[in-house]
């Protein structure tokens, strides 16, 4: 199942391609860091795609106590076992760490602190919780449905009860590599970014 979802007042025709859009053509696969571009995942039968806003943080002096929540538009691609996010559909590399859907739970909730007519989605992973929003309950429900279905399929793939689309192999390898790299960084107690993530509960990307 595939669809292209866009956040409020952000239509596809409003987004002009970058000047170097040729870099993101159908022939472009992986960047120098072996991370898949959005264009590569889009040409290899992603399960679901679309724009959502992601809760992030703006911090002063790298101090989690001075962080305030901000909302950023991100283009999400669900491919294989991983949910990737990019600045937009022309992104050359993922923002942050891809989420392994098998190890996540997906819920909707009412944000009483920010009751602005938007519909939040909470994604709980081993590392932390993420909050995404959309302006449509139908879009929210569709995302919840495909994410939960992808989780069940990932379990079946691991147990050998289903065959995965071979075009998702690069997404799975890249997602696993980036995920393990981030876990390794989080395990480093000397990293100020680790402390900020743990104490503030929100990411910066």
């Amino acid at each position: 199942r595939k669809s292209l979802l866009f956040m409020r007042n952000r239509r596809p025709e409003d987004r002009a391609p970058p000047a170097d859009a040729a870099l993101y053509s159908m022939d472009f696969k992986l960047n120098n860091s072996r991370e898949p571009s959005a264009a590569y995942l889009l040409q290899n039968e992603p399960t679901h795609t679309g724009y959502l806003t992601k809760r992030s943080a703006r911090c002063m002096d790298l101090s989690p106590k001075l962080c305030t929540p901000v909302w950023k538009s991100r283009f999400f691609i669900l491919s294989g076992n991983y949910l990737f996010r990019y600045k937009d559909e022309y992104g050359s590399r993922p923002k942050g760490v891809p989420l392994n859907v098998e190890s996540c739970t997906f819920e909707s909730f009412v944000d009483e602190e920010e009751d602005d007519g938007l519909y939040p989605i909470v994604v709980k992973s081993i590392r932390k919780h993420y909050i995404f929003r959309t302006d449509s309950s139908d879009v929210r429900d569709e995302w919840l449905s495909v994410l939960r279905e992808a989780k069940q399929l990932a379990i079946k793939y691991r147990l050998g009860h289903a065959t995965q689309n071979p075009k998702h192999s690069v997404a799975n390898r890249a997602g696993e590599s980036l995920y393990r790299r981030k876990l390794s960084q989080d395990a480093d107690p000397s990293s100020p970014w680790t402390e900020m993530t743990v104490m503030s509960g929100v990411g910066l990307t």
Side-chain angles (χ1 to χ4, degrees), residues 107-115 118-122 140:
E107 305 170 0
S108 62
F109 83 112
V110 176
D111 191 343
E112 297 180 352
E113 295 182 0
E114 298 188 48
D115 185 13
L118 298 179
Y119 298 86
I121 299 171
V122 179
R140 176 203 60 194

Side-chain angles (χ1 to χ4, degrees), residues 34-58:
R34 307 299 296 172
E35 299 170 353
S37 66
Y40 178 79
L41 295 182
L42 287 173
Q43 70 168 323
N44 281 283
E45 301 179 7
T47 305
H48 205 64
T49 66
Y51 280 96
L52 298 169
T53 53
K54 173 187 175 293
R55 185 176 182 178
S56 185
R58 179 180 291 116

Side-chain angles (χ1 to χ4, degrees), residues 123-138:
V123 179
K124 298 180 180 179
S125 72
I126 295 174
R127 295 177 55 249
K128 60 181 180 180
H129 296 178
Y130 299 82
I131 300 178
F132 310 135
R133 297 193 306 187
T134 177
D135 61 354
S136 164
S137 61
D138 290 339

Side-chain angles (χ1 to χ4, degrees), residues 102-174:
E102 185 177 353
S103 62
C104 293
T105 61
F106 310 97
E107 305 170 0
S108 62
F109 83 112
V110 176
D111 191 343
E112 297 180 352
E113 295 182 0
E114 298 188 48
D115 185 13
D116 49 11
L118 298 179
Y119 298 86
I121 299 171
V122 179
V123 179
K124 298 180 180 179
S125 72
I126 295 174
R127 295 177 55 249
K128 60 181 180 180
H129 296 178
Y130 299 82
I131 300 178
F132 310 135
R133 297 193 306 187
T134 177
D135 61 354
S136 164
S137 61
D138 290 339
V139 171
R140 176 203 60 194
D141 293 344
E142 186 173 16
W143 268 108
L144 287 172
S145 177
V146 296
L147 288 168
R148 289 166 177 166
E149 182 178 349
K151 176 175 181 172
Q152 294 302 313
L153 286 174
I155 295 173
K156 291 181 179 180
Y157 298 145
R158 178 170 52 80
L159 297 176
H161 297 164
T163 301
Q164 196 166 40
N165 186 336
K167 291 190 175 182
H168 294 166
S169 59
V170 169
N172 285 336
R173 290 198 302 271

Side-chain angles (χ1 to χ4, degrees), residues 174-191:
E176 178 69 13
S177 175
L178 292 170
Y179 183 75
R180 290 187 178 278
R181 185 192 309 172
K182 184 61 178 177
L183 288 181
S184 177
Q185 293 173 351
D186 287 352
D188 181 2
S190 65
S191 170

Side-chain angles (χ1 to χ4, degrees), residues 10-29:
R10 301 295 291 275
R11 298 170 300 172
E13 55 268 30
D14 294 333
R15 295 175 175 272
D20 55 352
L23 291 176
Y24 311 109
S25 69
M26 297 297 281
D27 295 328
F28 184 68
K29 294 186 178 181

